Each structure stands twice: as C-alpha cells, then as structure tokens.
Amino acid sequence: MSLSPEKATELKQIIHEQLTRMDVHGKIRAVLAETLKDEFKTDSQHFTEEDLMMALRQRGVIEDVVNELRFNEEHISRNFTSTPKPATHFIDTEQRTLKKTNIDPMRRYLHLQILGGKAFLEHLQEPEPLPGQVCSTFTICLHFRNQRFRSKPVPCACEPDFQDGFLLEVHKDNLGDGSRMADATTMLSICDPVQLILIKLDTSGETTLVASHFLEWRSVLESETGATSLAVELLGVGAECKVSVGILNVKLELYPPLSKILSQEIVKTQLSIERQKTAEKERLFLVYAKQWWREYLQIRPSHNTRLVKIFAQDENWINRPVCSYVRPLRAGRLLDTPRQAARFVSVLGFEKAPVVGGGGKQEQWCTLLAFLCRNKGDCEDHCNLLCSLLLGFGLDAYVCVGTKGKGVAHTWVMTYGTDGTVTFWESLNGHRYLHKPINPDAPPMVEQPKCEYPYRSIGCIFNHQCFLANCQPSDSVELCVFDLSDESRWKPMSEEAIKSVCSPGSTTSLPPFPPLCSSVVDAAAESNDLELQLRFLVSEYRKDLGLTTVWEDHLSYLLTPALASYEIERTTGICAGNEEFQDSIRRAVPNGHTFKGFPIHFVHRNSRRAFATCLRSPFCDEILSCRGDQIRLAVRVRVFTYPESACAVWIMFACKYRSVL
C-alpha cells in the first residue's frame, strides 16, 4: 500500500506517540545495559544490532510493542483511504463501506487510478462553497469485463479532486482462460475497453450525464515499468459531443508486472487491424442495409413514411444498428420474474434527451451503462433494457417502433408466446396489454375486440438477432397480424448480417453490456426520513393557514398495508389485502368521524418536490388544509427498492375528524 507523504508523516507520528506512551526507549536502554553488563563483559566491542534484537525478543519487549500497536478498521479507513484534500463542503448521503478483495496470485489485474481532473471550464467561475454547504458533485462510473465500480463523489470544480483506484481483473467470469495467468499476448487480444461515465448530481438530487468515454487500456502492455499515465480528454454528450468537458489524469498499472513486454509497434499494429476489421464490417452492413431498404420501398411507396428505424445515435452521436442496443440480460438474484423486471424498468426516471433551443425532439439512445448510471432516460432506453431483461428470462421479446395517440413517435416491448399470444409491455409504467387484431373484412354485426393499448401504428420490431419491418397494407396496430414467419407481412433482415455487427465481440466499437447492481438504499431509513420531512412541511403549511397540526402515529401505521398493496398491484397486477386495510380503518375511526386518504406514487426521494406535487391535487389539499373538530392527521411513506438503487416511493396523506353540521 503506497501512502502520500502527508499520510506517511501522520503514521510515523502515531507510532512515535505509541512508543513514547509505552516507554519503549527506556526498556531498550535497560535491556542494553543489562546485556552489556551480564552477557558481553569480555567482548562488548562485538555487540551488534542482531544481538540487541535477540535480547529484546527474549525479554518479550518486541511482542509487547506489536500487541499494543493495533489499529482498528475504522481508524485505518479514516486515516489512510481518504483523499489528500478532503472536501468538507458537500454531503455524501450514500453509505459506503470499504470491502476487502481477495487477490488471486494466479490472475492478472489492471490497477486503474484516477488522480484528479483539470480544465472542467464550465465550473471555472463556480464560487467555493462554505463548509457544510451542499453542492453539486461529480461521480465516475466504470465498467470493464462484467465488473462495475463507482468513485467517491467530489465537488464540481474546474479541477475536481478525483483520487480513486480500481482493481480490474483481466480474466473475469470465464472471459478467457482462467486456469493460467494472462500474458502480454493474451491481453493484447482482449479488445474490451474500459467504459467511463461521468455523472453530475446537483443540489436538488437531479442527475445529468456529462460524458461517456471508452478508454483503450492496452498501451500499458508496451510499458517497461508496467505502468503508464494518460491524460484522458472527456467530450460532451449529444449535441455537445465535439466539445471538451475536461481532462482526467489516469494511471494504469499491471499486477503482477509483465515478465515480457510488447513493442510499441506490435500494440499499434494490433489496434490498427481491429479498427480496420470493424470499419469493414460496418461498411458491409451499411451497404446491405441500403439495398434492403430499397427493396422494402419497392413493395409499396407508402412505406417511405413508416417508422422503420435501422440505426440510432448513442450519447456520443455514433450511429449504431438498433439491434446492438438489445442483448439477453440476466439479473441474477436481483429480479425474480419478468413482471418484476417490468416494474423495475418503470421506476427508472423518464426524461427526454435535452435540446438546446427549439426544433422538436432530439433523439438519443443511450448505452446501457449510461442509462443505468444516470438512472433515467427516454422511452427507447427503457424499452431496450426491458427487452434485454425479458430475453434473459427466456421470453421471445422484441422492441416495437411506432406511434401512439396523435401520431407521437413511441417505442414499447412485445413478447410472442409459443401459442401465438402477443403481449405488449409499456416500459414507462409496467402495464401489459393483450393484442387481438381486428378483422376489417368481418360483417358489421360481428363484435370486434376492444383495444385497450394506446399504440396506433407500428413500423418495425427488433431484438438482438432479428429485424422485421411491417409490410402489411396498413401499419395500424389494431389491424396488424403478428405472424412473424410470414414474409409477406414482415420483411426480415438477414440474421447473418445482423450477427456480423451486433453479436458480442463482433466489432470493437460495440459497447459491452454491464451487469445490474444491487440497491444501496436502506428502504426503512429512507422511508422514515421522508416521512419526518413531510410531517415538517405539512405542519409549516398548516401553520401558514393559521391551523394547528396534531399527528396520530397509530393511524399513520395503519396506512402501511395499503401502500404495500399498491406496490404489489403495480408489480403483479393483483390487488391483495384491501379488505384488511378497510377493516382496520373502520376500527380506528370512531362513529361520527370522517376519514379521508390520498395515496400518490413517485420515483424520486425529494420531499419538497413531492410535497409541491401533492399540493397541486385538490383532493390532497383538502386533507392538508382540513378544518373541523378533533382533527388528527397522518402520513405514511413506504420506499420500495430495486436494482441500481431505483426506488418506488408511495406516500399517503390521511385525516380523520368529527363531522360538524
């Protein structure tokens, strides 16, 4: 473990204080005098340091010192893992614990250190916050070969004080030959980049995607010292993809060091060959896609107006085939059912890609890591994640591209059952709809199925293996027949062509899919904190109206089953426990009293923002500004956690009072 000069000085001071307290120097002098007197009377001129150490061991002095010099784990983490310049003017509310990692001596590791940043010019004029003041922070998220890490948040500044290190295992989860240590040649063939995502968290709790960068790490293979330092320039996202955001100072080091390094020419040639192969595959797919599109337009001229989307731009404005945004994704033990997966995706925030100025919607599909780290995205991001999770659960799932009411472009997910059942999944709210096509040739007296879904037209569907364009006479969803094997209704793309650019490892430009991370949110603590904050806000609100506030804890507790029931219904579609809730409320409300309740759902944990939204509802305002005799107020908050620290927050305000005519 390497220490900064400040920490080394601090450690020496602690040891010196401990030795002084034990009077170790006095003990050594006593042992030295006794030894010289008793054992080395005739030959004291040959008394060496080894003789003194042996005498100290025999008398137990060294053992006493070692036993006394104990540092507890908390003290170590406090003194030797903090940054050299601790930031005292922001609050990190996320709990972080230091984890011990078992290092396999037979594996090769890449130690990636981020040693500060510079030239973040957007924050050049930002004033220095006062101590204890909450300010905006930067966080770096990292993914490499199925391993994910997150840096400590640092205050936004022109030179943000990033001081983090990440130990990346080169062979992870059987990605390579794990039975032996990777040599330089083996690592040169590993083309997976290190993906870095820079996230900004502002004082209101809103996250912003600042930069997305793919770091080529293999330059370390040509370093004689086994380490190399890089200045990584981060570029903006979307329309600002050509604008520099800032520079990160990165150090790469291999553990254990290579016994034989590669020449710079070999590394350079390998990277050049990979780029050429990728460019050629992408060129051939583009030629094929153009030919396929011409054939599709020849079927019917009106196809030119249908939403058949073959390519989409990611956050770096790189055009990628839409099939590359979807891949079977297994959630391990974090999600148990497809419906729970749909619920998880729906509680991730919805936000359209930001647009500078007017001109309508700016379309931007995010890579999965950028979407997960930001914890919000557009409907396309939600659909790509939901389709990937459903594929991971073994379902035949597709992303549908089309329109909803008023012709607004929209995407949703479809699953195709073994019995031909077609189910639509709305990724933004988790709702499911069965599709039964209308027969336009049926007699007028025949009852047609009623469509409950909001979708109007469909242009194409796709997943990681296939792309199908709708070539039926009408693109109306109501009339659409989902017989995917009928090429007169659905024109397919070549699966081989899709595989050449979209299968894992097919091209070096394809971003790898990260695994999901478990939640770090303490649901009980968050629920309690939000509830206390809302109580304060309600009391202040009623105080401004000239009203007093009396809370009833028992009534608040009785609201819990209702909130749990609402979440179960959103996840499974089954309403349960309503009878018990109603019975408990009847028992808690005396005769002649009136009970009113108002439940509401959020996907964020900002109490003031939630309270402002509640006040816009006349039903909630009627409860919060209630007047009457023996008024008792209640509020209950229940936070349900999901992977990636996504949360479904249920709040219920209630009151009971004696009716006075």
Side-chain angles (χ1 to χ4, degrees), residues 229-281:
S229 296
L230 306 171
V232 178
E233 183 182 18
L234 301 179
L235 300 177
V237 296
E240 301 177 17
C241 63
K242 303 293 184 183
V243 180
S244 177
V245 170
I247 296 173
L248 291 179
N249 297 320
V250 176
K251 182 180 179 181
L252 301 174
E253 191 169 2
L254 287 173
Y255 289 111
L258 291 172
S259 57
K260 182 180 180 182
I261 65 171
L262 300 176
S263 68
Q264 184 179 0
E265 190 64 30
I266 291 177
V267 176
K268 186 178 179 180
T269 302
Q270 173 68 19
L271 299 181
S272 176
I273 291 173
E274 289 176 358
R275 284 193 293 268
Q276 291 174 7
K277 286 184 176 180
T278 295
E280 180 63 13
K281 287 182 178 181

Side-chain angles (χ1 to χ4, degrees), residues 274-318:
E274 289 176 358
R275 284 193 293 268
Q276 291 174 7
K277 286 184 176 180
T278 295
E280 180 63 13
K281 287 182 178 181
E282 292 174 346
R283 185 190 69 81
L284 291 175
F285 181 79
L286 180 60
V287 170
Y288 168 77
K290 287 181 176 180
Q291 177 62 30
W292 180 92
W293 176 246
R294 284 193 292 267
E295 295 173 357
Y296 180 68
L297 293 181
Q298 290 174 3
I299 298 174
R300 197 174 287 107
S302 61
H303 285 179
N304 193 38
T305 61
R306 296 190 178 183
L307 287 176
V308 179
K309 192 165 189 61
I310 304 174
F311 296 93
Q313 289 181 325
D314 65 9
E315 66 268 19
N316 293 321
W317 273 25
I318 297 175

Side-chain angles (χ1 to χ4, degrees), residues 7-277:
K7 295 302 175 186
T9 303
E10 185 178 354
L11 178 59
K12 291 177 182 178
Q13 181 63 28
I14 293 172
I15 295 175
H16 175 73
E17 292 174 356
Q18 192 78 3
L19 295 177
T20 303
R21 186 180 65 81
M22 295 175 59
D23 192 24
V24 173
H25 299 92
K27 293 180 180 179
I28 293 176
R29 282 193 293 269
V31 171
L32 180 59
E34 182 182 350
T35 304
L36 289 173
K37 180 180 179 181
D38 298 337
E39 300 180 18
F40 297 93
K41 290 180 180 178
T42 60
D43 200 16
S44 59
Q45 66 272 20
H46 298 294
F47 186 70
T48 64
E49 182 180 341
E50 288 76 10
D51 297 327
L52 176 60
M53 292 296 293
M54 182 179 297
L56 291 173
R57 286 195 188 95
Q58 290 174 351
R59 287 160 177 77
V61 176
I62 292 179
E63 185 178 355
D64 291 342
V65 172
V66 173
N67 290 335
E68 285 291 329
L69 282 175
R70 298 291 185 185
F71 298 97
N72 60 46
E73 196 168 335
E74 179 183 358
H75 185 84
I76 292 174
S77 65
R78 183 175 68 250
N79 285 288
F80 305 116
T81 61
S82 58
T83 59
K85 299 177 183 177
T88 59
H89 48 269
F90 78 101
I91 299 173
D92 181 14
T93 57
E94 193 170 301
Q95 295 182 353
R96 300 179 187 277
T97 56
L98 294 174
K99 296 182 178 179
K100 294 183 178 179
T101 303
N102 293 323
I103 304 298
D104 187 346
M106 299 305 296
R107 296 294 184 97
R108 186 82 66 183
Y109 294 90
L110 175 67
H111 188 212
L112 187 150
Q113 298 179 72
I114 301 176
L115 305 174
K118 58 186 178 182
F120 285 76
L121 301 181
E122 185 177 340
H123 302 277
L124 182 62
Q125 302 298 329
E126 197 159 306
E128 186 74 15
L130 298 173
Q133 179 183 348
V134 178
C135 68
S136 300
T137 60
F138 281 141
T139 303
I140 295 176
C141 303
L142 181 149
H143 172 235
F144 177 70
R145 308 203 85 191
N146 227 29
Q147 303 161 87
R148 286 181 62 183
F149 297 92
R150 189 183 187 93
S151 73
K152 295 184 292 290
V154 300
C156 295
C158 183
E159 296 185 357
D161 188 27
F162 293 110
Q163 297 292 332
D164 273 293
F166 310 99
L167 196 62
L168 311 176
E169 188 176 328
V170 178
H171 278 161
K172 183 73 174 175
D173 296 337
N174 298 322
L175 295 175
D177 185 3
S179 62
R180 60 186 178 87
M181 185 179 293
D183 56 16
T185 306
T186 303
M187 288 190 288
L188 184 63
S189 66
I190 299 174
C191 58
D192 294 346
V194 178
Q195 186 175 5
L196 301 172
I197 300 292
L198 180 62
I199 298 293
K200 178 182 177 181
L201 179 70
D202 64 22
T203 54
S204 64
E206 289 295 310
T207 58
T208 305
L209 176 62
V210 179
S212 174
H213 182 80
F214 293 93
L215 175 65
E216 178 53 66
W217 57 274
R218 285 175 286 180
S219 59
V220 73
L221 300 177
E222 63 192 50
S223 171
E224 294 181 358
T225 61
T228 184
S229 296
L230 306 171
V232 178
E233 183 182 18
L234 301 179
L235 300 177
V237 296
E240 301 177 17
C241 63
K242 303 293 184 183
V243 180
S244 177
V245 170
I247 296 173
L248 291 179
N249 297 320
V250 176
K251 182 180 179 181
L252 301 174
E253 191 169 2
L254 287 173
Y255 289 111
L258 291 172
S259 57
K260 182 180 180 182
I261 65 171
L262 300 176
S263 68
Q264 184 179 0
E265 190 64 30
I266 291 177
V267 176
K268 186 178 179 180
T269 302
Q270 173 68 19
L271 299 181
S272 176
I273 291 173
E274 289 176 358
R275 284 193 293 268
Q276 291 174 7
K277 286 184 176 180

